[in-house]
Amino acid sequence: MAADTNLVQRQRIEGARALAARLPDLLVAARRVAASVILGVHGRRRPGPGETFWQFRHYTMGEPARRIDWRRSARDHHLYVREREWEAAQTVWLWCDLSPSMRFRSQLAEVEKIDRALVLTLAVAEMLGRGGERVGMPGVLAPRIGRDAADRIAESLARLEQQQVLDAEWPPVSGIGRFGDLVVISDCLAETAVMRDRILALAGRSARLHLLQVLDPAEESFPYHGRLEFRDPETGGVWLAERAGGLRETYRARLEAHREDIALMARRATFSFATHHTDRPASEGLLFLYSRLAAPRDAPSGLRASA
Amino acid sequence: MIGGLAFLSPWMLLALAALPLIWLILRLTPPRPTRLDFPPTRILMGLEEKEQTPARTPWWLTALRLAIAALIILALAQPVWRPDAEIVGSGTGDGPLLIVLDNGWDAAPDFAQRIEAAEMAIGDAGRAGRPVGLIATAERRAESLQPASAEEAARRLAAIEPRPWPADRATAAGRLGAAYQPGSAEVLWIASPLDNGDGEILAATLSRIAGASTLLTSSRGLLALKPPENAVDRMRIPVARLGNRAGATILGFDEEGRRILEGQAAFDGGEETVVEIALPADLRNSVARLAIAEEDSAGAVFLLDGRWRRKTVGLVAGQGETAAQPLLEPLTYVERALAPQADLIRPQAANTAETLRTLIDRRASIIVLTDVGNLPPASAEALVQWLADGGTLVRFASPQLASADIDLLPVRLRQGERALGGSLSWEEPQPIGSFAAGSPFERIDVPQDVRVERQILAEPDSLGDAAVWAELSDGTPLVTARNTGNGRIVLFHVTADPRWSNLPLSGAFVEMLTAIVETAGVVGGETPQARPAERDAAASAPWQPLELLDGYGRLRQPAGEAVLVANIDAARPGPDTPPGTYSRAGATRTLNVMEADTALAPLTPERLSWSGRSLGLEPRAATPIWPWLLAAAAVLAALDALAVLALSGRLVPARARTAAAAIVMAAVALALPATGHAQDEQADMQQALDATLATRLAYVVTGDDLVDETSRAGLDGLSRYLAARTALEPAEPIGVDLTEDELAFFSFLYWPMSAAAEVPAAEVMAKVDAYLSNGGTILFDTRDSGGAFLPGSAGATQETEMLRAILSFVDVPPLEPVPEDHVLTKAFYLLRDFPGRWSESDLWVEALTDAPQDPSRPARGGDGVSPVIITGNDLAGAWATTPEGHYLYPTVPSDPMQRELAYRAGVNIVMYTLTGNYKADQVHVPALLERLGQ
């Protein structure tokens, strides 16, 4: 099926160009979403090593005396310790699935899955960048600190789009170090076995994975009737259904089972997993990612959240 | 042809051979599925499919499609159903065939069928090599009667047309009897439905000639119009029928051929019925031609001439035709009463004598004279002559009437008039006592509300010659009449305007005038001035045809044949006098096929004692079958579409529900307007009550919210001012929507111009024009400080342009800035100018036409109120207050006195519109009092 492959390839190139053109708009949308979440949740405000003042607290016996803030303590009869905000930078890797299967929009949704995924990626980058984290993209962008994380990712993506190498659903995990956080936004439609391998590989590196599945509502509810020929945009494979309406229950059961498998694997590896639909506001997905990223490392995670 | 079934394009049937091919193609091509990109196809991939794709289309769908294809091919072959018919006996050897074709007017409606039958017979004879003789019974002259070749007969047949007169069968019988030996030919008589009494003669002759004979008659029936009667308020049109026609539609056309009336005739058993069409006289009188719809014959057409037409009425008012105010003109009421009944002529001549001569020249049937006393001798003589010719003279009393010529009055009159109910009289105003029996007024109900205050009296001894048509309750005559020559003189003993009585205002007046018009004669065809010798010459001239009817009842110009008719009254329709319109010396007369006493007698074999074969004419029509085949194919195609939808699973109940909901919605939407209409009526009534139960100032809603709110606040402020300073206490101002609301309730409208508003539609402006001409006043305010009102002046603002656009729809009188002595300056306050928020603009009103400024008379009002008042000073802006009484807008310049003057201007304008010129007359009060005091 050389013709089909060519066709798919050509579609991908065109789609990549269109995506590059859309990136500035998506960046703006991402900033807006990030702003709403940042205003809503003031996280990462923990005492720790850092430069900025955080709070005074009473001196407890046993602490080194040099920690005492004498200026403050002189004002009454207690001893105070000046605490600073914890500013240790963390490395967060972001990955957005740009494969052709993401380029799908039904009549039930406003945007394509890829647009939503990109918005979420850039919003997370923006948020983390402002929070002073190191943000990177495996194989695309080395992690760096800076408030312009979203811009840099968008730039790299645009450059990369022109090279048309973004077929991968899954990031190369070789560069991800121990205790790194990896955010993957994908439709997770790969076979269960493939997903298991990927998750196990990450678990073996002691990295933390935050997996957000982005689905179109039509993929969830299967609102089709009649004689239809379904075509897989990635492989070009075709499936002919005589009465698509009759397949609905079976399909939904299978999709649910597939998702349960991924969720179970993620839970075992203490990874977080959630599903996000493109007919819902993007801030929902961002809120999930944010809460998972801000959670302590040893907090129970991987429970299936609905975002 | 197989048993009556024939194909017009039989070669198309070859396409049926292609059906197996179509079958193969249909079997091999299943319907194509819709392709859809769907990412989780990978999840679907493993699904086992319970229903497998059928490799081929179901057999019944294939059959359905084959049927559609077969039907279309059959339809393209154009099958028709044509039952066989043998007209001419085939076994009669090769003797000649004689075709007798009736082509009188009664054959016209189905003449094409008759020709077709004749053609078929000629064709059959031609194929058999028989000679054919052909005679048309309504033709004037004989062609050769001898049998000729079939081609020759067909050529002659093509030239035969139905004639607008009855067939002359007796003549035809005589000529046939002379031309043919007994038993020498086979006879085919294609007979028309009417027997004019000579059918039997022809039948006898034919049976003598015929070896074998066939009579073809039509069962179609016949409809004919008889002379209509122009009754008082309706037209009665008798319609006669032959056969079993159930009804007919009668159409009336005017001179231009436009259809102006329509009536349904229904026969219930009888052979004749009368259609009654109630119509206003003017419409009725403009009918020039009556016809029966879808009955193409000369007998179904009736031409109307002057004898059925309306009367023309000339109106003459002697003096004082000032034309200042239409309602004060003496002939207004006569004109209004007669306008629907008759043609009114009001010549614009220099004097009465001239006017009368014009009217007589134009053959007025009725002349109404008022305010005319003595006439110049020449005019009087001409009138007497006109009366002798049949004119009707209607006169109304006036002070100078008593000096009139006795020849032009029904009675001799006493000098002076009798006043009833005045300040110097003890008599009460008299009601009408009775209308004389036998007079034209006898059907009129005696009105109870008429009061006569003044009348002129007749000398009692002169009443012998005259008839009293109406009298007052004390027995004195109100209307007298005298016949003179062919004409009549009618005298109303009161004036034609309401000065002497309120008779002209009553409905009875209209009925009385109508009755006079109905009973008036028509002035003879000759001009009254013609001297006897000329008249004789005119009478001896022949009538020339203007338009003639053909056999189908169509009007045509007279062709080469010059048909001159000497005595039209004695003429009957025939070859020499075809029906149509004839004229002589300006008079027109019509000659019609049917007359009042014409009877329609059917021609039947029994009546003729016909011994030969007798056949019907109709059943030879070929019925096309292919439209039905096409319709069937379309229905099957629709079924196929449904089947395809069902097969692909797209025919789901959800859609059906949506469709049902849509239908229900549509039904509800259709039902809604009924309730909406009722609400509209209620709202209209409420608006009418609001507008009339209290005096209100009103403004025109322009659609510009700010302007409308300012208008409302302004009129509200003015209403408060009026209530505080004057006896007028207006209720809340009201906004008027020109398109919907009734304007007649308001004597005064404030109409601010807004650049944002739109010029109302033409019909709305027609309403405004009617409002203005019927006494309403509109104060137009351009709110732009004015100045550019004069046409062509530079610097016109958008508002002024708007005003120009609006006034272009309205009959605007000549305008002038308010002169110093105008009643507007004195209607309540003494004012010099009329400021609003601005003070630069003049106030423009209708220019006064009466005498120039007379220093002794400080105020002039003209007769009535200026319909249009224009300012640019933004009056409403100056008047506008909040409900608490604070002014909304500053005046420019900000001067409290200017505000006060603006209010005073408003008061004066309102007082002027409400009281008219009352204040102008008020200035005479001191003089009157002084005179009374003496």
Side-chain angles (χ1 to χ4, degrees), chain A residues 101 104 113 169 189-191 219 222 224-234 237-243 247 250-251 254-255, chain B residues 30-54 646-650 652 655:
Chain A
S101 72
F104 175 73
K113 289 195 289 178
E169 293 178 19
L189 289 175
E191 279 78 8
E219 293 174 328
F222 202 67
Y224 300 111
H225 306 282
R227 186 174 154 90
L228 284 176
E229 198 176 55
F230 294 103
R231 177 177 163 277
D232 189 333
E234 303 227 342
V238 166
W239 174 256
L240 179 67
E242 279 303 317
R243 296 176 59 89
L247 292 176
T250 333
Y251 165 80
R254 291 187 73 155
L255 183 70
Chain B
R32 188 180 164 75
T34 315
R35 177 171 277 210
L36 186 75
D37 273 355
F38 191 64
T41 305
R42 272 171 282 182
I43 292 179
L44 282 173
M45 283 292 189
L47 281 183
E48 75 283 6
E49 176 94 47
K50 280 193 231 65
E51 304 153 61
Q52 287 303 314
T53 312
L647 275 185
S648 59
R650 263 171 260 191
V652 289
R655 308 239 171 140

